[in-house]
């Protein structure tokens, strides 16, 4: 049984670290497909990567319902750490989640189960954060859309294998839709709902 004192710490310097992480995430959103680095924090609980933990410390609070995949939810350290450091309520229903943490992309639920926003409030949708093995090796993908000069190429070990095909629902839903953040250790890439992506050569 892990006590609070045994949990990995949060940011050593809360203000500077949160500002730095926020900038990295916003830069990633503004330039889809580009790899941004997050200054690592001291530690992360269980199956949570350092970049994911830093994003949680920066963006989650008691007003951001959070959905965890089975691997995250079954880790007592993750649940305790999130509750202690962020206060974000963990929910079972992913359709009301502001954020979703996915450590096993192969088990990602259908995207239309998450909050998709409304026409009046398209921002009331779920941002899905998916952990991957790598954002520099794997299959190649071409990304187009706002913030991209022509075409951006992303090479990543994306799971689920058909994630980008699933994200095509954003084309029909816009301005509603799902924003995705990919994390590999301390690296982050964003695929916002305005981005269109295809496997290279397909």
């Amino acid at each position: 049984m892990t006590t609070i004192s045994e949990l990995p710490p949060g940011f050593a310097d809360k203000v500077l670290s949160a500002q730095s992480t926020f900038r990295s995430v916003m830069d990633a959103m503004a330039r889809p497909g580009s790899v941004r680095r997050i200054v690592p924090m001291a530690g992360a609980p269980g199956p949570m990567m350092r970049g994911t933990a830093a994003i949680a410390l920066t963006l989650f609070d008691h007003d951001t319902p959070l959905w965890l995949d089975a691997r995250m939810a079954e880790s007592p350290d993750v649940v305790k750490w999130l509750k202690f450091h962020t206060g974000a309520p963990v929910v079972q229903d992913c359709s009301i989640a502001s954020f979703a943490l996915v450590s096993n992309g192969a088990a990602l639920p259908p995207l239309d189960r998450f909050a998709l926003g409304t026409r009046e409030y398209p921002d009331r949708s779920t941002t899905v954060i998916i952990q991957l093995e790598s954002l520099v090796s794997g299959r190649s993908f071409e990304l187009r859309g706002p913030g991209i000069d022509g075409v951006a190429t992303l090479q990543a070990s994306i799971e689920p294998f058909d994630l980008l095909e699933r994200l095509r629902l954003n084309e029909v839903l816009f301005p509603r839709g799902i924003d995705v953040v990919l994390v590999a250790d301390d690296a982050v890439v964003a695929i916002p709902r305005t981005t269109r992506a295809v496997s290279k050569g397909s």
Side-chain angles (χ1 to χ4, degrees):
M1 197 73 178
T2 307
T3 65
I4 292 298
S5 62
E6 292 171 326
L7 290 174
F11 288 137
D13 186 320
K14 289 185 180 180
V15 175
L16 287 179
S17 296
Q19 287 176 343
S20 172
T21 300
F22 186 78
R23 271 196 308 271
S24 295
V25 174
M26 290 302 102
D27 283 349
M29 282 288 185
R31 297 171 181 81
S34 65
V35 179
R36 294 290 184 260
R37 293 282 167 187
I38 290 177
V39 177
M41 46 166 294
M48 189 182 290
M49 292 178 175
R50 296 182 299 167
T52 306
I55 291 171
L57 290 171
T58 302
L59 300 182
F60 300 179
D61 60 29
H62 63 278
D63 288 326
T64 54
L66 173 63
W67 181 86
L68 305 175
D69 74 355
R71 188 167 169 235
M72 291 274 196
E74 289 164 6
S75 168
D77 286 359
V78 166
V79 176
K80 281 183 187 176
W81 186 91
L82 285 166
K83 183 177 181 180
F84 180 73
H85 285 294
T86 75
V90 175
V91 297
Q92 304 296 319
D93 182 358
C94 59
S95 72
I96 61 172
S98 296
F99 293 93
L101 292 186
V102 179
S103 63
N104 176 17
L108 178 72
L111 292 178
D112 60 6
R113 290 189 189 170
F114 293 102
L116 301 174
T118 65
R119 287 220 157 261
E120 297 77 16
Y121 302 102
D123 57 321
R124 292 182 181 174
S125 60
T126 306
T127 297
V128 181
I129 301 169
I130 305 175
Q131 296 187 160
L132 308 176
E133 283 187 19
S134 175
L135 286 170
V136 294
S137 64
R139 291 166 63 206
S140 291
F141 304 89
E142 289 185 344
L143 281 62
R144 290 180 171 84
I148 299 172
D149 184 10
V151 177
T153 299
L154 169 65
Q155 195 169 11
S157 57
I158 288 185
E159 286 283 345
F161 193 78
D162 64 344
L163 175 64
L164 299 181
E165 285 79 7
R166 296 191 198 186
L167 284 173
R168 286 180 182 155
L169 65 78
N170 283 334
E171 297 178 38
V172 179
L173 292 171
F174 192 80
R176 301 160 64 220
I178 295 290
D179 298 315
V180 171
V181 176
L182 306 175
V183 177
D185 191 25
D186 63 351
V188 59
V189 165
I191 305 178
R193 69 192 69 184
T194 53
T195 300
R196 303 294 170 252
V198 295
S199 295
K200 203 167 182 181
S202 68

